[in-house]
Amino acid sequence: MSRLFGSVRARATLAATVVVAIALVAAGTAVLLSLRSNLNDQAGTEAERSAREVAADLSGGASYDRLRLDDDQRPVQVVDAAGVLVAASEDLRRISGTGTDVVKPGPPRPTDAAGGGATADDHGGDRGDDDGGDGHGGDDKGGDDKGGDDKGGDDRGKDGRGRGGGEDDDYASLRPGQIGAEVSFADGSATLDGDTADYRFAAVEVSVQSKGALTVYAGAPLAAEQAAVRTALTVMLTGLPLLLAVVAAVTWRVTRRALRPVEGIRSEMAAITASEDLARRVPVPDTQDEVAGLARTTNETLAALETSVERQRRFVADASHELRSPIASLRTQLEVGAAHPELLDVTGAVEDTVRLQRLAADLLLLARLDAGERPSGTRFDLAALAREEVSRRPGVTAHCASAEVVGSRGQLARLLGNLLDNARRHARSRVAVTVRTDGPWAVLEVADDGAGVPAAERERIFERFVRLDEARSRDDGGAGLGLAIARDVARRHGGTLTAGEAAEGGALFTLRLPAPA
């Protein structure tokens, strides 16, 4: 599994497909629920319309046998306040979800038009409405016959409490001939003419003058809603895999095309590593996206690496060349001294040894600077350091104002010493050192009255092993590392070292270091 999804393209395709699948499933579920709810509401509206049509007929005085119960082939039940089915659709064979599962209406119970109790004969049997309203005999029978009173009380209990206290209040608030405004809905099933289906039932209450309170149940089929939901679900289940396959294919191709430049960069980098040719560069796509930025940054890194490697090669070659001359000279003097002791030039041997020692120290310092060695955070006065270095070199004047800096005192002393030694070698008679502050900078200037540095060479002199006066001897001119070391030290301290022209026409070296806050 890890190898299957090891590439960025595979992971991107999988992630896009999963996200789209989740979004589609959520959207499909919401659509199905909304569709089902809307169709249920539509079925409920149709059921309510059918129930109100029957209730309107009842409130208009229509008898049970004249009600339009089979016009729309929808199940209809009419139940009295006692829960007795008094009318139903002719083809109704079975029903659930309404107030009663009875499908054949029975004989109606006698009911007072004003909602009063029913009467019964001496045997507890049902009698007509005329017996219940008889002037004196009815009252005497109702009062004397306990069986009759019991039945009358039972009917009133069904009318008042059998359907719940809330519905009792609703019935009580309806006047004869009035249809209730409230509608209740329920889901159920019914069998009409041998066909069983699910229905949405609406219950509407109506009060009839001669029949009392009635409840009309009418159903609307849910077959259309169920068929629509099934069709939508089938379409979604069929289309979802196809859509996900399209999303995966498009994502795979798009990511492949987007990552093609990355593969080009990788292959070119592999070729550069194998050939060790740092002059080669990776291809940069003609876009302005992150991949193009990566290619440009990679080429910049290769250019910096090429420059660094070339600088190291040149440094090694120049160092070998500079070391060869004093070593050869020292060897010659020692061989002559061994063969002819009286001709041994001890002074010259010592000078060559000192030159070797200085060159080795310079090379070691450059190696440490190239390795990224950071100066220490010592805080000291640059003017005091300048006066100390000037005191060791006769003929140098100093005009120093206090200027504190933070860094390595030893490295900055080496920097100042290299500048002073360089100025003394090229000056005719005068070398001056100035220390001052310039805003957030501490400024040190070393000026001489020599021939100066040509404007075209003022940057090249800071390169390693560069000597402008090739005619002078190595003993007088040095190895060409002093100014290179000075600039590297200045940069490591966050400052700059530049060459210019002094007022007397000679060279002017300006060191700028950040002053501590």
Side-chain angles (χ1 to χ4, degrees):
M1 184 63 69
S2 60
R3 295 184 61 184
L4 180 62
F5 298 104
S7 66
V8 175
R9 183 167 54 178
R11 291 196 297 270
T13 302
L14 176 63
T17 305
V18 170
V19 170
V20 172
I22 294 174
L24 290 178
V25 169
T29 303
V31 169
L32 289 177
L33 292 177
S34 177
L35 177 63
R36 183 176 180 181
S37 176
N38 290 336
L39 293 176
N40 271 343
D41 291 343
Q42 182 178 354
T45 301
E46 294 176 359
E48 179 183 358
R49 184 176 66 251
S50 298
R52 288 192 178 277
E53 290 177 355
V54 175
D57 292 343
L58 288 171
S59 65
S63 61
Y64 295 138
D65 56 353
R66 294 184 177 276
L67 295 176
R68 295 173 295 173
L69 303 181
D70 300 310
D71 290 353
D72 298 331
Q73 292 296 317
R74 294 176 180 177
V76 177
Q77 286 181 317
V78 180
V79 180
D80 64 9
V84 176
L85 180 67
V86 296
S89 299
E90 181 178 354
D91 296 331
L92 184 62
R93 297 293 179 267
R94 188 184 63 82
I95 193 169
S96 65
T98 61
T100 177
D101 58 358
V102 179
V103 296
K104 294 300 181 182
R109 300 191 178 210
T111 307
D112 183 33
T119 61
D121 57 13
D122 294 338
H123 302 286
D126 292 336
R127 296 190 62 181
D129 291 339
D130 294 340
D131 292 338
D134 189 73
H136 299 284
D139 289 342
D140 294 338
K141 291 180 181 179
D144 298 334
D145 189 356
K146 294 181 180 180
D149 285 345
D150 289 341
K151 278 189 169 290
D154 187 56
D155 287 343
R156 286 191 298 271
K158 289 180 180 179
D159 187 19
R161 291 179 294 276
R163 300 178 56 85
E167 293 189 6
D168 179 41
D169 296 339
D170 293 339
Y171 280 124
S173 63
L174 293 178
R175 297 187 301 274
Q178 185 178 4
I179 301 174
E182 297 294 331
V183 183
S184 60
F185 297 93
D187 292 333
S189 63
T191 301
L192 277 175
D193 200 15
D195 296 328
T196 302
D198 294 330
Y199 288 87
R200 180 78 165 169
F201 290 101
V204 176
E205 298 169 356
V206 59
S207 178
V208 181
Q209 177 69 31
S210 60
K211 301 178 179 64
L214 302 175
T215 302
V216 179
Y217 294 95
L222 295 176
E225 174 262 344
Q226 294 172 348
V229 172
R230 281 196 301 269
T231 302
L233 181 60
T234 302
V235 171
M236 290 181 181
L237 292 179
T238 303
L240 180 62
L242 298 178
L243 184 57
L244 291 180
V246 171
V247 170
V250 171
T251 305
W252 182 267
R253 292 181 63 86
V254 169
T255 52
R256 178 182 180 182
R257 184 173 181 178
L259 294 176
R260 188 175 300 163
V262 178
E263 175 60 23
I265 295 173
R266 187 207 63 78
S267 59
E268 185 64 22
M269 287 295 294
I272 292 173
T273 302
S275 64
E276 298 183 357
D277 183 9
L278 296 178
R280 299 173 62 174
R281 297 293 181 265
V282 301
V284 179
D286 297 332
T287 58
Q288 300 299 325
D289 55 9
E290 293 81 358
V291 177
L294 172 64
R296 286 190 291 269
T297 302
T298 302
N299 285 336
E300 292 172 1
T301 303
L302 289 173
L305 184 59
E306 180 186 14
T307 302
S308 176
V309 171
E310 182 62 27
R311 182 180 182 184
Q312 291 298 326
R313 289 174 179 171
R314 191 167 58 248
F315 176 74
V316 172
D318 293 339
S320 300
H321 179 73
E322 292 294 332
L323 288 171
R324 183 177 59 182
S325 297
I327 290 177
S329 175
L330 180 60
R331 177 181 177 180
T332 300
Q333 294 180 41
L334 292 177
E335 289 177 348
V336 170
H340 306 281
E342 69 279 4
L343 299 178
L344 178 62
D345 185 4
V346 177
T347 303
V350 171
E351 291 177 353
D352 287 340
T353 303
V354 171
R355 285 190 62 219
L356 284 173
Q357 181 181 8
R358 291 177 178 174
L359 183 57
D362 289 343
L363 294 175
L364 178 60
L365 178 57
L366 284 174
R368 286 174 17 212
L369 293 175
D370 288 341
E373 178 181 322
R374 293 295 177 182
S376 60
T378 305
R379 184 167 180 167
F380 59 92
D381 188 0
L382 184 61
L385 177 63
R387 284 190 290 267
E388 182 179 333
E389 292 297 321
V390 167
S391 65
R392 298 175 183 173
R393 295 167 175 82
V396 180
T397 60
H399 304 279
C400 302
S402 178
E404 289 191 339
V405 294
V406 176
S408 171
R409 183 182 177 88
Q411 290 185 7
L412 290 177
R414 182 68 175 275
L415 182 157
L416 181 55
N418 289 351
L419 294 179
L420 292 176
D421 292 341
N422 179 76
R424 291 179 66 198
R425 279 197 301 268
H426 296 85
R428 295 189 181 93
S429 60
R430 178 177 176 274
V431 175
V433 177
T434 304
V435 176
R436 57 186 174 84
T437 57
D438 183 12
W441 299 94
V443 182
L444 182 146
E445 295 176 338
V446 178
D448 63 67
D449 58 354
V453 181
E457 304 291 342
R458 288 174 184 171
E459 280 299 316
R460 197 170 75 88
I461 59 175
F462 292 105
E463 297 179 5
R464 298 174 183 182
F465 301 104
V466 171
R467 289 185 296 272
L468 298 184
D469 186 5
E470 297 293 346
R472 66 190 177 187
S473 67
R474 294 183 183 275
D475 293 339
D476 294 335
L481 293 176
L483 294 180
I485 292 175
R487 171 165 277 189
D488 282 351
V489 170
R491 287 176 174 173
R492 289 294 183 273
H493 284 76
T496 60
L497 178 61
T498 58
E501 183 177 356
E504 294 84 357
L508 173 64
F509 290 90
T510 303
L511 170 68
R512 302 175 71 88
L513 296 175

